[in-house]
Amino acid sequence: MRIVHLVTFLHGDTGRLVTDLAIRQRALGHDVTVVASETPAGELANDAHRLQALARLGVPVHLADSLHQRDFDANLAVSRHLAELFGPGAEPDVLHAHAAVPTFIARLFAGARGTRLPIVQTLHGWGMARTAGEAAWDVGLMNLADRVAVPSAHAAQRLASRGLPWARITVVPHGVDADATPFDDRDRALLARIREDRQRGAIVVVCPGRLEADGPAALAISAVARLGEQPRVRLVLVGEGDADDLRDRVRRVGLAATVHVHGRSAAPGRIAREADAVLVQARPEDDQWLPVLDAFRDGPVAVVGDRPALRDLVEDGVTGLTFVAGDAGALTGTLARLAFMAEEAREALRREARTRHRDTSSAAAMGGHYLHLYRLVCDARLRRAARSQTPAA
């Protein structure tokens, strides 16, 4: 099968998922190509190690501007680039778009060829920057795809509530392979600190996500402050944002020995692998699925706020621990529960989480779901084409 992935950038969580999916499809013998934007947009840019991984394993990557901008001329330029890559008669079997703008580009390319090529879109998340108008525009573009894949039942309900017909929505759980993102020197120093703290009997909790003075990271600091000296919990905050402001807060409340604000890292999943637990506090508009799946695979206990998307992943006391989202006191109680839990009980959580990862949240499982979805949309197109050519009785 000839598969083309269209992605705004090979960056962050989406970049990792697309890279894992493309590599797995290539290993199964499919003809896979990735097309992404070339010019960075603010913090968004193609991660060099993703480009290198794809090249190393024989997946061609083409960069063209722009699959990110909502600009007709820029989108048309990418469509024309696709026309140069795939001449008449050599069109892809399926175009897999990883955002609404790539879906629009896929339709421009197909329309220029006078054919309706199968298009699958994955909605990775709405993000925090969308205006109401942009969200409506995106839903309109999703209606141009044959199917839109979302990672959970909650995401499907949210998308349907925004106007996309249920018939176009398919749930495909996200899955990941082990993160191979390289460390830098700051990361290595942090790993040494985590290992030392654990050897001294501390429970180390890594909290990945945006660092904001009034966001989830600040709530985690407040929760740890309520714990006191026992149990010995050490909190590590990893992410982009106001690291300096949070470091000032940590100093002001006297938690410099307990809370470490690491700041940005390209490899938060690999850092969390060394910890006892991963704390995930998605905002209502976020899914933040990747740290949970990494925890399932790599062994830290997943501690999550009970947002609907995260409840789809984590069952309290079975595959991890949950608390009332946004409630510092509830988080304090859950961290104490984790710290005082017998090691056998923690291992039971990890064991069940590993089973969940193997069965539903691995890159292999995700890849199988997508190949099945590709075949469905391709077969549906063939059936419609056959009906259109059947003479009326």
Side-chain angles (χ1 to χ4, degrees), residues 278-357:
V278 176
L279 171 59
V280 181
Q281 304 181 78
R283 292 178 179 273
E285 67 271 19
D286 296 334
D287 290 333
Q288 209 174 351
W289 49 269
L290 185 63
V292 176
L293 300 189
D294 275 332
F296 283 2
R297 176 189 172 90
D298 296 332
V301 175
V303 178
V304 307
D306 61 352
R307 303 290 187 199
L310 298 179
R311 285 202 303 268
D312 285 350
L313 288 174
V314 179
E315 184 179 353
D316 186 64
V318 179
T319 55
L321 301 177
T322 67
F323 62 95
V324 178
D327 187 325
L331 176 54
T332 299
T334 299
L335 292 176
R337 178 184 171 195
L338 170 73
F340 288 119
M341 183 179 289
E343 178 55 30
E344 293 81 2
R346 285 199 290 263
E347 178 54 31
L349 294 176
R350 291 191 287 263
R351 185 168 56 248
E352 191 62 30
R354 284 192 294 269
T355 300
R356 168 69 181 268
H357 177 270

Side-chain angles (χ1 to χ4, degrees), residues 251-269:
R251 284 192 292 269
R252 287 197 305 270
V253 298
L255 292 176
T258 303
V259 178
H260 175 70
V261 183
H262 183 66
R264 187 185 184 281
S265 170

Side-chain angles (χ1 to χ4, degrees), residues 80-379:
R80 289 170 174 163
H81 186 70
L82 290 173
E84 294 171 1
L85 291 175
F86 305 102
E91 290 86 1
D93 295 301
V94 64
L95 294 160
H96 190 160
H98 293 271
V101 170
T103 293
F104 180 53
I105 291 168
R107 283 303 308 271
L108 286 174
F109 169 60
R113 283 292 161 83
T115 183
R116 287 185 59 85
L117 295 173
I119 300 171
V120 170
Q121 181 185 326
T122 295
L123 180 64
H124 294 275
W126 285 100
M128 297 175 62
R130 278 182 175 84
T131 65
E134 288 172 342
W137 192 78
D138 285 356
V139 170
L141 292 180
M142 285 182 230
N143 273 293
L144 301 179
D146 293 86
R147 292 287 185 93
V148 177
V150 292
S152 68
H154 167 69
Q157 291 167 353
R158 185 169 58 178
L159 184 54
S161 73
R162 291 178 179 265
L164 193 72
W166 278 104
R168 290 190 183 272
I169 303 171
T170 299
V171 175
V172 178
H174 285 329
V176 292
D177 283 327
D179 189 8
T181 305
F183 289 128
D184 60 22
D185 289 341
R186 290 177 59 255
D187 293 336
R188 294 188 186 91
L190 174 60
L191 294 182
R193 175 174 177 162
I194 290 173
R195 291 167 185 153
E196 183 179 342
D197 281 342
R198 293 186 72 193
Q199 287 171 359
R200 292 177 175 176
I203 298 295
V204 177
V205 178
V206 171
C207 180
R210 188 82 185 168
L211 303 182
E212 298 171 324
D214 60 348
L219 185 95
I221 293 171
S222 298
V224 170
R226 298 178 184 213
L227 281 171
E229 295 183 3
Q230 292 295 331
R232 293 188 60 205
V233 172
R234 300 290 181 264
L235 177 66
V236 178
L237 301 173
V238 182
E240 298 179 350
D242 300 328
D244 289 338
D245 288 347
L246 288 176
R247 290 186 185 108
D248 289 341
R249 175 176 297 194
V250 168
R251 284 192 292 269
R252 287 197 305 270
V253 298
L255 292 176
T258 303
V259 178
H260 175 70
V261 183
H262 183 66
R264 187 185 184 281
S265 170
R270 292 188 67 191
I271 291 171
R273 191 181 302 170
E274 300 287 335
D276 296 282
V278 176
L279 171 59
V280 181
Q281 304 181 78
R283 292 178 179 273
E285 67 271 19
D286 296 334
D287 290 333
Q288 209 174 351
W289 49 269
L290 185 63
V292 176
L293 300 189
D294 275 332
F296 283 2
R297 176 189 172 90
D298 296 332
V301 175
V303 178
V304 307
D306 61 352
R307 303 290 187 199
L310 298 179
R311 285 202 303 268
D312 285 350
L313 288 174
V314 179
E315 184 179 353
D316 186 64
V318 179
T319 55
L321 301 177
T322 67
F323 62 95
V324 178
D327 187 325
L331 176 54
T332 299
T334 299
L335 292 176
R337 178 184 171 195
L338 170 73
F340 288 119
M341 183 179 289
E343 178 55 30
E344 293 81 2
R346 285 199 290 263
E347 178 54 31
L349 294 176
R350 291 191 287 263
R351 185 168 56 248
E352 191 62 30
R354 284 192 294 269
T355 300
R356 168 69 181 268
H357 177 270
R358 182 195 66 210
D359 293 345
T360 64
S361 302
S362 67
M366 176 184 67
H369 284 306
Y370 273 118
L371 288 175
H372 178 67
L373 182 57
Y374 296 165
R375 293 185 184 107
L376 284 178
V377 298
C378 289
D379 289 349

Side-chain angles (χ1 to χ4, degrees), residues 1-7 10 18-19 21-27 29-37 46 50-64 67 81-82 85-86 92 96 98:
M1 181 175 284
R2 183 174 295 156
I3 304 164
V4 176
H5 290 280
L6 304 172
V7 58
L10 289 166
V18 173
T19 300
L21 185 58
I23 288 173
R24 186 161 293 274
Q25 291 169 344
R26 178 68 182 87
H30 299 284
D31 182 350
V32 184
T33 301
V34 176
V35 181
S37 301
N46 294 306
R50 305 284 179 218
L51 298 173
Q52 293 163 4
L54 290 165
R56 186 167 57 249
L57 294 170
V59 178
V61 179
H62 297 274
L63 304 180
L67 290 91
H81 186 70
L82 290 173
L85 291 175
F86 305 102
H96 190 160
H98 293 271

